[in-house]
Amino acid sequence: MMGLFWCAVMAMAAALAFAHPQQPPTHHQDDVTYPGSVTVFTVPAAFPTSVFSSYYVKPGPTNQPQPVLYDPVLNITFPFNLTDPKHVPDSNNDPVIFPQPVANISDATGEAIASAAVSEISRIFRSNNTGGSNTCSKCIAALAVGQMVARLAPTHFPSTMVSLCHSLKFSTYSSCELTYGPNGSGASWAQILANADVAGLDGKYICSYLHKDFCEYPTVTSVKAVFPKPKPKKPAEPRRSGKKVNVLHLSDLHLDPRYSVGSEANCTSYMCCRYSESPANGTVPEISVSAPLFGYYKCDSPFYLALAALQSIGPLTGTSAKNPPAFSLYTGDLIAHDNEIQASRAYVEATEVAIWEFFKAYIGGPIYTALGNHDTTPADYESPRAIDDNSTLGSQFSWNYAHVSSLWAHYNWLPSSVAHQASTHYAAYAVSPPHHPNLKVITLNSDLYYQHNPFALLNATNPDYSGMFSFLITELQAAEDAGQRVWIVAHIPTGWDGGSALPNSADYFYQVVERYSPHVIANIFFGHSHEDQVTIYYRNNGTAQTKEEALVTGWVGPSLTPLQNLNSGYRMYEVDTGSWEVMEAYTFYSDVGSYTNLSSSVEGEGDGGQGGGPVFKLEYSTRATYGPAVNWPSDAPLNATFWHGVTEAMERNRTLAELFTQYQGKSSAKSKKCETEECAKAKICYMRSGSTALGKQCKQGYGSVQ
């Protein structure tokens, strides 16, 4: 009977056409000219209350502050219950957007279609006669069934996904209900499946996403990039001016306004350092590690840590709000790792306002931001405008693009015309910093090529389905024509171990980089990994990895958040204003392990707070640390040729790879070490991999130190 019903459903759908032998060497920095007045700075223990005008809850020795946040763009004041640590929401009132059904059917019929689909998909996975006995073919066949539900009865699709998630054991970050349910991302998945080419490459990507054993992850299928003009045969070499400016690079703060001092900091599931109710029997839960005031290894950044880091920047870098850097970069991830139902549009907007308020207070100068995968809700999700010609589905994340671009204009970080560009280009834009018209900074929304964004799996044969790379090419060509240098700023790295960017997109990006390097693109900057990493791009798609073929460097900024098992850190570059090459890079950090021993007698600013807060210090100078190993001239830039030389030095001396790995985790005592030949070789391979395909060829398992 069920078979007959399913046949009827299929007929109706068809009719509607639709990874040591000795300790690492100690590097010598005696001849280094340090940028700041000190190389070690102890942050005052007292919270700088003047950074916010008022508070729902003032900072204290046992609690984080709860500032009153006014949004100058939305003209609203966010309520206390939005970030109240003791009352984290289990739902939100954000719009739930489903694709338009292709037929007008009753709710009862829709429910019956969903039920029949669950039965049919279960039968497919139990059988061996679906046109192929392997699991991948079964999954592809099942997607075709699921697509009917998404198209005919989209509001019933989340319950279908939850049921199948439990029975087929889909991959999830939290639970089936949170990932695929109606209060999670179920509606988004209905959109995705309704618009996917399930029988093609889209289907293989989706199956691999749902469970790594369903389908083997697709390899790269290169799509030739098209450019307005061929690459000049003898492009003019950029000239150095001899003048230097400072540029600050911050990344991955992940501010947690719901951080609860004294809660469990060493939990076994997300999120740690969050308040939990006492059991009903009145017993006090045992705490293995009490969440310190300034943060912990398994937690996102509390307000105290965020403001401590900002207070250290001036003394350590020699910059301030009155003597700012030429500009600053923020390579994404403002928002904490809340799950789908704990986050909301208002929560994202409030965090954006909070962070940029204190950035404005302490840094000064323009701050150029690329959104990260957590800077939206649901996290990771961004839809391409082409999904429905920029209609309801294609514009569903425009609320955030409009908000951030308006804030950037409000803080005078972007001219109004550039802010408008950002509002209509996924919050991506191109801008020349004040007084430096010979440089163009191009930011990208890298979610659109992120492996964990299900929307990015649509039209997988076209890596530029979103139009993001067309935007990049247009801006690069204009820069080449105008004789400008370019810095590209994004969140998701395109290479390293191959675990972040979609293969085709990373390959396409590599082609763009090769076309416009080294004469136009001076540097590329990423975030995301939370670690201090470097990637080298070469000619000919990295097929010949030599110093002669090295083109440009991808700098991955260390995170401010300690999550996970890392220290907190940031970087400053000294840059030549003619060539816009990096001449020096200083990395600073704070030992998060010391936070449990800090004095708890902390009051607000001016309230008699005693003792010291976190200690931030210079971790290393890039030139002083690696330059001697490659006999690098004191006046030569830290470019791709330099970094390739560092990888060759690592091949000769494994202890240099150990040192690199130490810095990768910002000298955290909890970070993994690199003490074998296999690890060192893998690390060198990652550094030479600017694309997913190249990264996947490296020995896996050594990419992260977390």
Side-chain angles (χ1 to χ4, degrees), residues 17-298:
F18 47 68
H20 92 135
Q22 59 191 46
Q23 291 297 312
T26 302
H27 56 280
H28 301 286
Q29 308 195 45
D30 298 337
D31 56 349
V32 178
T33 301
Y34 299 110
S37 58
V38 295
T39 58
V40 179
F41 180 75
T42 301
V43 179
F47 188 86
T49 52
S50 61
V51 72
F52 297 112
S53 60
S54 59
Y55 294 81
Y56 292 117
V57 178
K58 290 186 176 182
T62 60
N63 64 271
Q64 293 293 313
Q66 289 293 321
V68 177
L69 299 172
Y70 170 74
D71 192 318
V73 169
L74 301 176
N75 194 27
I76 61 172
T77 298
F78 295 102
F80 172 54
N81 62 10
L82 185 64
T83 56
D84 181 2
K86 293 186 178 180
H87 298 94
V88 178
D90 56 7
S91 64
N92 63 59
N93 296 318
D94 291 345
V96 178
I97 303 173
F98 287 97
Q100 280 292 109
V102 297
N104 186 14
I105 61 176
S106 68
D107 186 68
T109 301
E111 186 174 355
I113 291 172
S115 177
V118 171
S119 298
E120 179 68 7
I121 291 172
S122 298
R123 185 194 65 78
I124 288 172
F125 273 90
R126 289 195 304 266
S127 68
N128 292 317
N129 59 351
T130 58
S133 60
N134 65 81
T135 307
C136 188
S137 65
K138 292 180 181 181
C139 181
I140 298 297
L143 287 183
V145 177
Q147 187 173 66
M148 302 305 151
V149 181
R151 289 178 171 176
L152 290 168
T155 58
H156 291 277
F157 188 77
S159 61
T160 303
M161 286 291 284
V162 171
S163 178
L164 293 169
C165 175
H166 283 297
S167 62
L168 300 177
K169 303 187 186 308
F170 291 173
S171 300
T172 67
Y173 286 123
S174 43
S175 72
C176 291
E177 286 75 16
L178 287 177
T179 304
Y180 303 112
N183 293 322
S185 305
S188 294
W189 273 98
Q191 299 176 37
I192 292 159
L193 210 58
N195 288 278
D197 177 10
V198 296
L201 189 58
D202 296 11
K204 293 179 180 179
Y205 270 115
I206 292 171
C207 285
S208 179
Y209 184 105
L210 294 174
H211 197 295
K212 62 182 178 62
D213 293 334
F214 283 175
C215 283
E216 185 177 349
Y217 194 77
T219 56
V220 66
T221 304
S222 185
V223 176
K224 187 174 179 59
V226 178
F227 303 105
K229 299 178 182 179
K231 187 172 184 175
K233 292 182 178 180
K234 292 183 179 181
E237 292 187 10
R239 290 189 173 186
R240 298 183 196 111
S241 67
K243 298 179 181 179
K244 298 177 187 176
V245 292
N246 296 326
V247 176
L248 193 63
H249 184 179
L250 307 177
S251 195
D252 295 85
L253 174 59
H254 290 287
L255 180 69
D256 186 1
R258 295 166 175 162
Y259 185 103
S260 182
V261 179
S263 63
E264 180 57 71
N266 192 35
C267 67
T268 56
S269 61
Y270 273 173
M271 290 183 63
C272 298
C273 299
R274 287 291 181 88
Y275 175 83
S276 60
E277 294 280 357
S278 298
N281 60 14
T283 59
V284 178
E286 184 177 343
I287 302 292
S288 63
V289 178
S290 179
L293 191 65
F294 290 94
Y296 193 68
Y297 291 114
K298 288 189 175 183

Side-chain angles (χ1 to χ4, degrees), residues 338-361:
D338 291 84
N339 66 37
E340 292 90 333
I341 63 174
Q342 293 173 341
S344 64
R345 292 187 179 186
Y347 184 67
V348 171
E349 290 164 341
T351 305
E352 290 167 347
V353 170
I355 291 175
W356 289 328
E357 279 289 331
F358 53 64
F359 276 10
K360 180 74 173 179

Side-chain angles (χ1 to χ4, degrees), residues 296-321:
Y296 193 68
Y297 291 114
K298 288 189 175 183
C299 312
D300 275 329
S301 304
F303 273 104
Y304 269 97
L305 175 55
L307 271 297
L310 288 173
Q311 290 177 85
S312 75
I313 290 173
L316 290 174
T317 68
T319 65
S320 67

